[in-house]
């Protein structure tokens, strides 16, 4: 038969109460026997106290030495992060460990020894949780700051991760403490799991945006002031938040997009261009002589080489089009600035117009030649037909 929830909770509280009462009784017994042992065996008490102080002082000296060596290391080094564990060891932990060693080395009462080991177990649970939490946070922060332009750029993301790590580790430590207190934590873990699933489903969109924002902050597909394009949007990144990213479009309005939606798209980051590539075609008429066709690539190369912040790559006579013989040209504007890129195109195009005019080469444009035929199938030249028509009009 299944127990009601109220009955299970009542049984758990009764188990905790019984355990606490047992611990209190053992504590009273340990204190009574400790006082009696101090009065009867001063030599053993003095030895235990000396061992306790020696262990504590030695541990503190080692901790201070490690801390001094850590301060001389590079802030972003992994060794510095690992040695930070020593700074989280408290003097109380050293004192209890020293007491446990001192009491074990002497003829102390068994109840006193059991009590100090019980306390040491509780202290170590808390101490290990604090060490793991600090180590995990330091590792995340070290990696984040290595990839960030400034500490402020990842502060919000680190704060969220700190909260998540702290919640997980301290919850686990609390469950272990409850287990030591005699509480059956199986039902509690199951309840927490079901509650976590319910909360996750209810806030699925929020959490997905938060993790997407953290991914952007750490992975750095773009940063503030970068010019990016996604979908049909093009703009400069003005703010990267944990839920949304804001862009200032070229036309001036602000674009706000959820981080999850943003990462689902293909993002083009123009800020990381080393130079802008420009591929274009020009066409000349079919009346252009072969010698001039052969010289055109050299003319284009010379023009591009003489243009400021332009780099020539290639120029080829690529195909016979319907109304032109086409050349394909590739060059590069050696600047990230879009205005400079357009200045290069302007200068090259203008120089090409002037050069072709000087050489007597005509640019082609879409044309169509209409041929007339007589009844016998012979072709009539358009010019002859026009002259005949003019004589008839006269």
């Amino acid at each position: 038969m299944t127990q009601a929830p109220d009955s299970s909770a009542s049984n758990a509280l009764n188990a905790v109460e019984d355990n606490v009462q047992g611990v209190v009784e053992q504590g009273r017994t340990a204190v009574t026997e400790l006082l009696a042992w101090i009065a009867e065996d001063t030599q053993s008490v003095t030895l235990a106290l000396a061992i306790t102080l020696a262990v504590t002082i030695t541990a503190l000296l080692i901790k201070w030495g490690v801390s001094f060596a850590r301060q001389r290391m590079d802030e972003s080094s992994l060794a510095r992060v690992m040695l930070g564990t020593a700074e989280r060891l408290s003097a109380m932990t050293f004192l209890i460990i020293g007491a446990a060693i001192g009491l074990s080395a002497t003829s102390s009462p068994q109840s006193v020894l059991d009590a100090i080991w019980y306390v040491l177990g509780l202290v170590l649970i808390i101490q290990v949780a604090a060490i793991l939490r600090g180590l995990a946070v330091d590792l995340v922060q070290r990696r984040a700051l290595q990839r960030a332009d400034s500490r402020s750029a990842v502060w919000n993301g680190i704060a969220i991760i700190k909260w998540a790590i702290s919640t997980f580790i301290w919850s686990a430590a609390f469950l272990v403490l409850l287990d030591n207190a005699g509480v059956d934590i199986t039902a509690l873990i199951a309840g927490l799991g079901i509650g976590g699933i319910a909360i996750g489903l209810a806030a699925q969109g929020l959490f997905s945006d938060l993790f997407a924002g953290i991914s952007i902050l750490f992975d750095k597909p773009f940063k503030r002031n970068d010019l990016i394009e996604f979908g049909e949007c093009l703009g400069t990144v003005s703010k990267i938040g944990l839920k949304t990213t804001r862009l200032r479009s070229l036309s001036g309005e602000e674009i706000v997009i959820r981080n999850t939606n943003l990462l689902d798209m293909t993002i083009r980051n123009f800020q990381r261009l080393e130079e802008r590539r420009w591929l274009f075609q020009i066409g000349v008429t079919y009346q252009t002589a072969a010698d001039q066709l052969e010289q055109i690539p050299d003319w284009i190369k010379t023009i591009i080489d003489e243009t400021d912040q332009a780099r020539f790559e290639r120029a080829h006579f690529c195909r016979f089009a319907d109304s032109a013989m086409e050349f394909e040209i590739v060059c590069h504007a050696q600047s990230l600035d879009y205005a400079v890129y357009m200045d290069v195109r302007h200068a090259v195009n203008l120089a090409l117009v002037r050069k072709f005019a000087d050489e007597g080469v005509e640019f082609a444009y879409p044309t169509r030649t209409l041929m007339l035929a007589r009844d016998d199938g012979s072709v009539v030249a358009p010019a002859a037909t026009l002259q005949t028509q003019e004589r008839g009009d006269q």
Side-chain angles (χ1 to χ4, degrees):
M1 182 175 181
T2 305
Q3 288 183 327
D6 292 342
S7 177
S8 300
S10 177
N11 292 338
L13 290 175
N14 291 334
V16 173
E17 184 178 357
D18 294 341
N19 190 272
V20 170
Q21 290 178 353
V23 170
V24 171
E25 290 297 328
Q26 291 178 0
R28 289 175 180 174
T29 303
V31 170
T32 302
E33 294 186 2
L34 176 63
L35 293 176
W37 179 54
I38 293 174
E40 295 174 359
D41 195 352
T42 306
Q43 185 176 1
S44 296
V45 172
T46 303
L47 178 59
L49 183 60
I51 293 175
T52 300
L53 292 176
V55 171
T56 303
I57 294 173
T58 301
L60 288 174
L61 290 175
I62 294 174
K63 174 184 174 180
W64 291 334
V66 171
S67 178
F68 178 76
R70 181 174 179 268
Q71 292 177 358
R72 301 174 66 88
M73 295 180 178
D74 181 48
E75 185 176 359
S76 62
S77 66
L78 182 60
R80 180 185 174 93
V81 173
M82 300 305 293
L83 290 180
T85 302
E87 295 187 354
R88 297 183 179 89
L89 294 172
S90 66
M92 179 62 68
T93 302
F94 296 147
L95 185 62
I96 296 176
I97 292 175
I101 295 175
L103 292 174
S104 299
T106 58
S107 57
S108 61
Q110 186 62 39
S111 61
V112 175
L113 188 59
D114 291 341
I116 199 68
W117 279 110
Y118 182 80
V119 172
L120 179 60
L122 298 180
V123 170
L124 287 180
I125 291 173
I126 298 174
Q127 185 69 81
V128 169
I131 290 174
L132 291 177
R133 183 259 179 196
L135 184 60
V137 169
D138 285 350
L139 289 173
V140 171
Q141 185 167 326
R142 170 180 175 269
R143 178 168 180 80
L145 294 178
Q146 282 179 337
R147 302 181 64 88
D149 298 325
S150 63
R151 291 178 181 270
S152 60
V154 294
W155 183 252
N156 289 336
I158 291 177
I160 293 294
I161 292 180
K162 281 183 178 180
W163 174 82
I165 292 174
S166 299
T167 301
F168 175 77
I169 292 180
W170 286 117
S171 297
F174 179 69
L175 291 176
V176 174
L177 289 174
L178 288 180
D179 186 59
N180 287 342
V183 179
D184 184 8
I185 62 173
T186 304
L188 182 59
I189 293 176
L192 290 175
I194 295 173
I197 292 174
I199 294 174
L201 292 175
Q204 182 178 6
L206 175 62
F207 286 134
S208 62
D209 287 335
L210 289 177
F211 285 116
I214 293 172
S215 175
I216 292 174
L217 290 172
F218 290 164
D219 191 47
K220 306 297 288 183
F222 53 84
K223 61 180 186 298
R224 285 189 61 186
N225 299 322
D226 280 1
L227 178 65
I228 66 172
E229 179 184 12
F230 59 92
E232 298 180 355
C233 299
L234 175 66
T236 302
V237 179
S238 59
K239 181 180 178 182
I240 303 173
L242 290 178
K243 181 172 176 57
T244 61
T245 294
R246 300 170 185 265
L247 283 76
R248 184 68 60 184
S249 71
L250 298 182
S251 55
E253 72 271 14
E254 185 178 62
I255 302 173
V256 182
I257 183 170
R258 291 178 54 192
N259 291 326
T260 302
N261 294 342
L262 182 61
L263 290 185
D264 286 339
M265 300 181 182
T266 299
I267 301 172
R268 299 177 65 189
N269 191 337
F270 296 100
Q271 207 66 27
R272 297 181 182 177
L273 289 171
E274 295 182 358
E275 55 184 14
R276 292 181 180 270
R277 187 174 185 264
W278 176 29
L279 182 149
F280 65 102
Q281 293 86 24
I282 59 173
V284 297
T285 62
Y286 275 95
Q287 287 74 29
T288 306
D291 292 341
Q292 290 177 315
L293 292 175
E294 187 176 9
Q295 295 174 10
I296 286 176
D298 294 332
W299 298 346
I300 296 172
K301 182 178 185 305
T302 301
I303 289 172
I304 294 176
D305 288 341
E306 293 176 352
T307 302
D308 187 33
Q309 292 189 304
R311 180 175 67 84
F312 175 81
E313 181 176 320
R314 63 180 176 83
H316 296 93
F317 179 15
C318 62
R319 66 171 182 154
F320 296 93
D322 291 340
S323 57
M325 293 183 287
E326 291 188 349
F327 288 79
E328 184 174 271
I329 303 101
V330 178
C331 68
H332 300 265
Q334 297 179 307
S335 173
L336 301 181
D337 192 343
Y338 187 77
V340 174
Y341 169 66
M342 293 305 297
D343 288 342
V344 169
R345 294 180 63 167
H346 173 82
V348 171
N349 287 335
L350 189 59
L352 286 173
V353 170
R354 288 173 175 165
K355 180 63 176 177
F356 280 33
D358 293 341
E359 298 294 337
V361 176
E362 295 183 0
F363 289 100
Y365 52 86
T367 58
R368 176 175 294 176
T369 302
L370 181 62
M371 307 299 291
L372 302 178
R374 299 185 181 89
D375 294 337
D376 59 1
S378 61
V379 176
V380 179
T385 303
L386 181 59
Q387 292 174 0
T388 302
Q389 182 179 359
E390 289 176 351
R391 286 197 299 267
D393 293 338
Q394 292 176 357

